[in-house]
Amino acid sequence: MRILIADDDPVSRRVLEATLRRWGHELVVCQNGWQAWQELQKEDAPRLAILDWMMPGLSGLEICRLLRQRGSPPYVYVILLTARGLREDIVEGMNAGADDYVVKPFDKHELEVRLRAGRLGELRREWLGAGASASGEGR
């Protein structure tokens, strides 16, 4: 699976990058929010993004909002990865448009399950899109 990761902290970014590469994922690695947003605007942008909440330029939260306001396909499944672990933070992140939320330092087993959920969501959207096209719906 092709995944965009964006984290301004080099240590966190390297740990996440090493973990995901070990699992066989292809990565687009970004060091700040602006870079992540530019990558997500591309036609071949990854369909899954793991974003740090607090980054220079645009925060992960702001990117979530922009993606959801954009509203055009393809859908990007967003996991916020952040040190902010209060219940209110989780609610704020999800209200901004995140699909999932993982608190740093991340547990690799939890992250793996969250990625699987994101992949299943992508497959479901593809299936529904193909079904709608084949049946003439959605035109």
Side-chain angles (χ1 to χ4, degrees), residues 26-73:
E26 179 186 341
L27 302 179
V28 175
V29 181
C30 302
Q31 298 178 12
N32 61 58
W34 285 115
Q35 187 181 16
W37 179 242
Q38 289 172 342
E39 289 293 331
L40 290 168
Q41 297 307 300
K42 294 181 178 178
E43 193 172 313
D44 65 339
R47 299 248 184 117
L48 195 145
I50 301 174
L51 306 174
D52 184 25
W53 182 316
M54 296 175 279
M55 294 184 288
L58 288 172
S59 70
L61 212 62
E62 291 168 320
I63 294 170
C64 284
R65 288 185 182 119
L66 289 169
L67 283 169
R68 300 311 175 231
Q69 288 169 1
R70 177 177 74 178
S72 60

Side-chain angles (χ1 to χ4, degrees), residues 10-23:
V11 174
S12 294
R13 190 175 57 247
R14 281 191 212 112
V15 169
L16 181 59
E17 184 177 355
T19 301
L20 295 174
R21 285 196 195 280
R22 193 170 37 251
W23 293 343

